Amino acid sequence: MPAKLERQLAIVTVRMVVQLVLVGYVLTFLFAAVSPFWTALAAIIMVLFASQEIVARQKRRLPGVWKYGLGAGCTLLAAGTVTMFALLTELRPDPWYHPRYALPLLGMILGNTMTGISLGLDVLTNSLVRERAAVEACLALGGTRHQALLPIIRDALRSGFMPIMNSMAAIGLVSLPGMMTGQILAGVEPVDAVKYQLLIMFLIAGGTGLGTLAAVLGGARLLTDHRHRLRLDRLADEKSI
């Protein structure tokens, strides 16, 4: 076990260094090009990698295309919508798709949205398997799938929202966030840095909330059918993962 842990630590360390070095070169190219095509391509690649991480963190996974499609779709919807809103209404860079602003902002929102979606879906699927008897009993007594799954959906949403809620509660008291710290080190007045950080935190919270809500409700719908039956047969077998 210790040897395996050391090997995993070495692998993630090397992966981190390689990824950051490559990203540095890629961003240098994107900042020089300032092309909507290259910016959109980079954003799509970021979303695809985020959806892959969402799938990798699931103990029980949805079948077929939904295994990746649900996470990717909800991530793109939430992070893309919030990022576009910020670029077009608050930041307003020239041009609006400038990668120097769009990609870092998308990355911050995407990382937190990915965490919320992965936690929400994991709690949803595991709770449905664990509480199968209670859900099916409610359905057998005439309850709709929405009524039967409501307590589980609430738990899944609570789990998905918890990381960003903890961050918002502790920010400024327990830790100074990275963007605010970077601006202060760059010479920006602390009050101005706080204003930008507040904007970023609201955007992150909005993206996380929207993505988690869409993913959990979408997962609940996929694991039931129009006849209000629980369809756990649509979950991939845990042994096959």
Side-chain angles (χ1 to χ4, degrees), residues 15-27:
R15 177 179 172 180
M16 175 191 69
V17 173
V18 172
Q19 288 177 174
L20 287 178
V21 171
L22 291 177
V23 165
Y25 285 109
V26 171
L27 289 179

Side-chain angles (χ1 to χ4, degrees), residues 1-22:
M1 182 64 70
K4 183 178 180 180
L5 182 61
E6 292 169 0
R7 184 168 60 253
Q8 291 176 342
L9 181 60
I11 291 173
V12 297
T13 301
V14 173
R15 177 179 172 180
M16 175 191 69
V17 173
V18 172
Q19 288 177 174
L20 287 178
V21 171
L22 291 177

Side-chain angles (χ1 to χ4, degrees), residues 19-238:
Q19 288 177 174
L20 287 178
V21 171
L22 291 177
V23 165
Y25 285 109
V26 171
L27 289 179
T28 300
F29 166 76
L30 292 174
F31 291 172
V34 192
S35 165
F37 171 77
W38 290 114
T39 301
L41 180 61
I44 292 173
I45 292 174
M46 292 168 66
V47 171
L48 292 177
F49 273 105
S51 64
Q52 171 61 36
E53 289 299 317
I54 290 173
V55 173
R57 299 182 189 187
Q58 303 304 307
K59 185 177 181 181
R60 297 179 173 86
R61 301 172 185 173
L62 295 168
V65 67
W66 290 112
K67 178 169 65 175
Y68 295 98
L70 182 63
C74 294
T75 302
L76 180 61
L77 169 67
T81 300
V82 172
T83 301
M84 290 289 291
F85 172 79
L87 291 174
L88 295 176
T89 62
E90 295 297 329
L91 300 179
R92 286 180 286 187
D94 185 22
W96 66 267
Y97 54 80
H98 201 300
R100 184 178 297 274
Y101 300 90
L103 295 182
L105 181 62
L106 176 63
M108 287 186 286
I109 298 173
L110 201 59
N112 289 273
T113 303
M114 176 189 70
T115 300
I117 291 176
S118 60
L119 288 173
L121 286 178
D122 192 53
V123 171
L124 175 71
T125 53
N126 290 329
S127 297
L128 283 176
V129 172
R130 185 177 62 251
E131 304 293 335
R132 178 174 185 173
V135 172
E136 291 184 335
C138 181
L139 295 173
L141 292 172
T144 65
R145 56 181 172 178
H146 306 291
Q147 293 171 330
L149 269 60
L150 184 57
I152 293 176
I153 290 175
R154 285 176 175 170
D155 288 340
L157 291 176
R158 186 181 298 110
S159 297
F161 292 167
M162 192 61 66
I164 185 61
M165 291 173 62
N166 288 340
S167 297
M168 294 175 72
I171 193 170
L173 296 176
V174 179
S175 63
L176 290 179
M179 179 181 177
M180 178 179 168
T181 302
Q183 287 188 314
I184 291 175
L185 292 176
V188 177
E189 289 296 325
V191 175
D192 293 330
V194 167
K195 293 178 181 178
Y196 280 105
Q197 188 61 54
L198 285 174
L199 171 63
I200 294 301
M201 290 304 297
F202 286 132
L203 294 173
I204 289 175
T208 302
L210 179 60
T212 304
L213 180 64
V216 169
L217 294 180
R221 188 172 184 82
L222 288 171
L223 294 175
T224 55
D225 60 22
H226 67 283
R227 297 175 61 184
H228 299 275
R229 295 178 300 178
L230 185 62
R231 298 296 303 274
L232 293 184
D233 57 295
R234 294 177 177 175
L235 282 176
D237 184 8
E238 186 177 352

